[in-house]
């Protein structure tokens, strides 16, 4: 059922598989955060950035969030930034869900789906790891139990570079 909802949501948004590729420059974007200020990806250069695309209706997204909170807390002082990009059309729903799920990292609102279309990953949740130079180093589509260990290994490698 969730796959059908995802496919329908992605189809209505004109999303096709993988426009972003490993080693390519991460497409820049500016989005408003749930705190009301704008955040631009390019301004994060010099940091390792994990961008996680999620939605309130996404069960696997909810499963993944406690792990992302832990990674944010553990590595933020090592030059790591975690950005959650919520794709709900209703910004209030995205913000309320982030609060209910206890998210401690910045949550950005992509209500018109501009950024998710720009990244074009074709899956929910979707996670992109970006190095300090702004290049995509790892892409993860969907969520499976234990993937957080892979994220952590990749984050450790990137912060050491």
């Amino acid at each position: 059922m969730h796959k059908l909802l995802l496919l329908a949501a992605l189809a209505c948004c004109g999303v096709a598989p993988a426009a972003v590729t490993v080693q390519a420059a991460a497409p820049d974007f500016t989005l408003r955060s749930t705190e009301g200020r704008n955040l631009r990806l390019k301004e994060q250069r010099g940091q390792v950035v994990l961008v996680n695309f999620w939605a309130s209706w996404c069960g696997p997204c909810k499963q993944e969030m406690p792990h992302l909170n832990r990674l944010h807390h553990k590595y933020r002082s090592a030059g790591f930034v975690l950005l959650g990009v919520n794709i709900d059309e209703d910004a209030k729903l995205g913000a309320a869900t982030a609060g209910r799920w206890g998210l401690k990292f910045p949550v950005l609102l992509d209500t018109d789906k501009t950024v998710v279309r720009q990244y074009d990953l074709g899956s929910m949740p979707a996670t992109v790891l970006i190095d300090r130079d702004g290049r995509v180093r790892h892409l993860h589509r969907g969520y499976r139990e234990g993937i957080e260990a892979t994220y952590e290994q990749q984050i450790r490698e990137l912060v050491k570079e």
Side-chain angles (χ1 to χ4, degrees), residues 49-55 58-76 80-86 98 101-107 124-129 140 142-144 146-155:
V49 181
L50 184 149
V51 180
N52 178 265
F53 294 92
W54 65 277
C58 171
C61 299
K62 183 177 181 179
Q63 283 182 275
E64 185 173 52
M65 290 306 168
H67 304 294
L68 295 180
N69 265 339
R70 185 184 61 76
L71 292 171
H72 164 72
H73 179 74
K74 185 172 183 177
Y75 292 100
R76 67 182 174 189
F80 172 70
V81 175
L82 198 154
L83 304 174
V85 177
N86 176 267
W101 291 356
L103 303 187
K104 303 298 183 196
F105 48 84
V107 173
M124 191 62 52
T127 301
V128 180
L129 264 164
H140 299 278
Y143 171 77
R144 66 183 184 286
I147 190 69
E148 59 277 359
T150 301
Y151 294 166
E152 187 161 10
Q153 176 187 356
Q154 292 169 344
I155 291 164

Side-chain angles (χ1 to χ4, degrees), residues 4 20 48-49 53-54 69 83-84 88-89 91 96 98 102 111 117 124 130 137-139 141-142 154 157:
L4 290 175
V20 173
V48 172
V49 181
F53 294 92
W54 65 277
N69 265 339
L83 304 174
D88 287 307
E89 291 177 9
T111 56
R117 276 195 303 266
M124 191 62 52
I130 302 166
R137 296 291 290 276
H138 301 282
L139 296 172
R141 293 172 181 86
Q154 292 169 344
E157 290 170 4

